[in-house]
Structure formats: C-alpha cells, structure tokens
Amino acid sequence: MGYCFGGAAVLESARAGADVKGIVTFHGGLTTPNGQSYADTKAPIMVFHGTADTAISMQDFAQLATELEEYNVDHEMITYSGAPHAFTVFGSQRYHEVADTRSWQSFVEFLENTTKI
C-alpha cells in the first residue's frame, strides 16, 4: 500500500506483476506510463481518491478504471466527495476526516479479505 507517490509506486508494482495478495493506493498517482500496462497484474487493486483532488484528475481515475477492466484486473475504486489530494495528512489544510476514516476502514476490510488463507 502507498500514499501519494507511494500510491503511484504500488501501481507500478502491480503493472510489473508483483506476486502480492493486494495493492492499495491512497490519493496516489493513477496514470500509466507509456509502454506499460496491467497485463501482468496478479493481485486485486483498491483505489481511494478524493473527487476534489486537483493534482490527480477524475479523468485519470476513469482512465485507470478503463485500463483495469481492459486487463480483467479485480479492483475496487472509491471516491470521497470534497476530499482533496493528500486527504489523509493529519494537521494539514488538506486533511479530510471523513475520507480518511472511511478509506482506512475500507483498507482494513480489504486486508482482512485478501490475506485470508
């Protein structure tokens, strides 16, 4: 899992075919670099994104959904109204408590579901 740049990095791991149980990104970069794809992705992906994010657009969000569908990648993508980029950063002007709390709850559920033996 990763936040912001770390969120982009975990998606890079997914595109590289990392042998993991799940990939989670919180307000991360969502664009796919030229020449890369999700063809080798082995794990389900969870995406948490704020609809008020001006750094990562809703077009980027929609494009990622299209790509994941194209490659039949199991995924769930959740948006939070009013949440800007970096909505999980405590003490910052961008902090959005509702988005932070809900995304964390969904993350914990994702972990519980993907790490079952």
Side-chain angles (χ1 to χ4, degrees), residues 49-54 58 79-88 93-100 102:
H49 183 72
T51 57
D53 189 331
T54 58
M58 287 304 296
T79 61
Y80 300 98
S81 63
H85 190 71
F87 62 80
T88 61
Q93 291 182 338
R94 295 175 177 265
Y95 183 68
H96 192 284
E97 184 176 5
V98 171
D100 183 33
R102 289 182 182 170

Side-chain angles (χ1 to χ4, degrees), residues 5-117:
F5 177 77
V10 296
L11 290 178
E12 182 76 20
S13 295
R15 292 189 296 271
D19 189 16
V20 296
K21 293 190 178 205
I23 302 283
V24 179
T25 176
F26 292 81
H27 50 77
L30 304 179
T31 58
T32 301
N34 289 333
Q36 294 186 17
S37 75
Y38 287 90
D40 296 327
T41 302
K42 298 174 184 170
I45 296 175
M46 174 73 88
V47 177
F48 302 115
H49 183 72
T51 57
D53 189 331
T54 58
I56 312 299
S57 71
M58 287 304 296
Q59 289 78 17
D60 294 338
F61 183 85
Q63 179 60 39
L64 176 60
T66 299
E67 291 175 40
L68 296 176
E69 282 297 317
E70 179 181 342
Y71 290 100
N72 298 311
V73 176
D74 182 15
H75 66 281
E76 184 172 353
M77 300 173 68
I78 301 173
T79 61
Y80 300 98
S81 63
H85 190 71
F87 62 80
T88 61
V89 180
F90 294 110
S92 77
Q93 291 182 338
R94 295 175 177 265
Y95 183 68
H96 192 284
E97 184 176 5
V98 171
D100 183 33
T101 301
R102 289 182 182 170
S103 64
W104 189 258
Q105 289 170 342
S106 293
F107 172 61
V108 169
E109 289 174 17
F110 181 82
L111 284 177
E112 289 170 352
N113 292 330
T114 59
T115 59
K116 288 182 182 175
I117 297 176

